[in-house]
Amino acid sequence: DAKTTQPNSMESNEEEPVHLPCNHSTISGTDYIHWYRQLPSQGPEYVIHGLTSNVNNRMASLAIAEDRKSSTLILHRATLRDAAVYYCILRYGNTGKLIFGQGTTLQVKP
Amino acid sequence: DGGITQSPKYLFRKEGQNVTLSCEQNLNHDAMYWYRQDPGQGLRLIYYSQIVNDFQKGDIAEGYSVSREKKESFPLTVTSAQKNPTAFYLCASTPIEASSGNTIYFGEGSWLTVV
């Protein structure tokens, strides 16, 4: 199975951009890259997902490397409400199995 | 509104008891998943199912059992064989069509505590 690797924690100042990296060097051609975030004792919340091309939505942008072995979640202007654990997830194409990274805890300082 | 519902939110288990966590979805999703999360840790896959009457073990299936008799339901039983069951349990669902890269839906989670 594919595997994802994320830094344990990152810090950002409010109103500044944040780049959250994820390595998935064993990704296969049919694996989608998903990003979710989670607050304590809650279910994860959808942020963004993509396959090959960079993606933008109202919450964030997803930059996917050309070889697809890594991706970066970009929060353009961090707010205090963006403080959460961010998970990079591969949806394993053929089986539908979801593979979670260990998550990055994002702290946002006012 | 469509969604995925877990119950109960909080559950206490005595030593030696089996308990069952409910997960129901009305999204017509084929695939359903159960994850365990320990405090300050990431999610670990217990079981998953892609179709009715079929399911596969995840990374930490020992001490757990599941059934998938209906498409919308995927209950998880924590058996007495699970020696350290205190954790936060999350259920998820998604359509099986991988080509569409569909969003994954998560329940709100269930806290299980051994007393």
Side-chain angles (χ1 to χ4, degrees), chain A residues 30 32 34 36 38 41-46 49 51 87 89 91-102, chain B residues 9 33 35 37 41-43 45 48 50 88 90 94-104 106-108 111:
Chain A
T30 54
Y32 277 79
H34 292 252
Y36 279 72
Q38 186 184 28
S41 299
Q42 295 186 20
E45 173 191 28
Y46 173 77
H49 76 279
L51 182 61
Y87 289 101
I89 307 168
R91 190 169 187 278
Y92 197 52
N94 291 329
T95 69
K97 189 175 180 181
L98 302 178
I99 301 166
F100 278 75
Q102 72 270 32
Chain B
K9 178 68 174 179
Y33 308 81
Y35 292 89
Q37 187 173 35
Q41 304 295 314
L43 281 74
L45 181 64
Y48 66 108
Q50 297 186 92
F88 187 57
L90 277 165
T94 182
I96 198 62
E97 297 84 12
S99 60
S100 60
N102 282 292
T103 303
I104 308 157
F106 287 90
E108 288 300 309
W111 274 105

